[in-house]
Amino acid sequence: LFWNNDKGRYEDSHYKGKLTGVASEVGNANALLYGIATAEQIPRIGQAFLDKNQELVETSPLYCGYVIDGLMEAGFTETALQIIRKRYGTMINHSDNPTIWEGWFPFTGQQPFADNEAAFRIRNQIRPFGVRSMVHTGGILTGFILTTQVLGVR
């Protein structure tokens, strides 16, 4: 991670002596979670998560738990809860038996839901490149963080 003081965030890469401009949610959250960020950097990173102009690369459900944990560890609980509501809300509201998806949108991408498996196969030729699972255990860390940090269950 490389601190960009002008933008108030960590960037993920440095190439030929320059920052590349690529900054991710997971990189900045890990700086919060693992004590990399200084006391002066912490509020600026928190602001970067709220500032739409920062263009932080969005994490997948697999690593979102680290983002949520880092934000909560640094005291940005409301920001963390906003991310959870926005991103996991679609999954929770999609059916009576919600699951954690591999991507933020059904089968990733902003495709509408297929009515059934047959419709999905016809429209998308069985499992085209980029299609992800709608039942994926990798994204459950966020649930653990909610249980331990918000509800206080240990």
Side-chain angles (χ1 to χ4, degrees), residues 104-118:
W104 293 120
F105 302 99
F107 305 105
T108 70
Q110 296 187 21
Q111 302 172 6
F113 287 99
D115 295 13
N116 56 49
E117 188 66 23

Side-chain angles (χ1 to χ4, degrees), residues 85-102:
R85 287 183 194 107
K86 180 180 177 190
R87 297 188 193 165
Y88 286 91
T90 302
M91 296 179 204
I92 301 303
N93 295 324
H94 175 64
S95 76
D96 290 340
N97 300 301
T99 58
I100 301 299
W101 304 339
E102 192 172 356

Side-chain angles (χ1 to χ4, degrees), residues 1-2 8-13 20-32 45 48-49 54-60 63 67 71 87:
L1 291 175
F2 303 91
R9 67 185 190 192
Y10 278 97
E11 294 190 1
D12 294 14
S13 54
T20 63
V22 176
S24 68
E25 290 177 340
V26 74
N28 281 275
N30 280 334
L32 298 173
I45 293 170
F49 275 89
Q54 283 285 4
E55 298 178 346
L56 296 178
V57 176
E58 189 175 274
T59 190
S60 71
Y63 296 103
V67 171
L71 288 168
R87 297 188 193 165

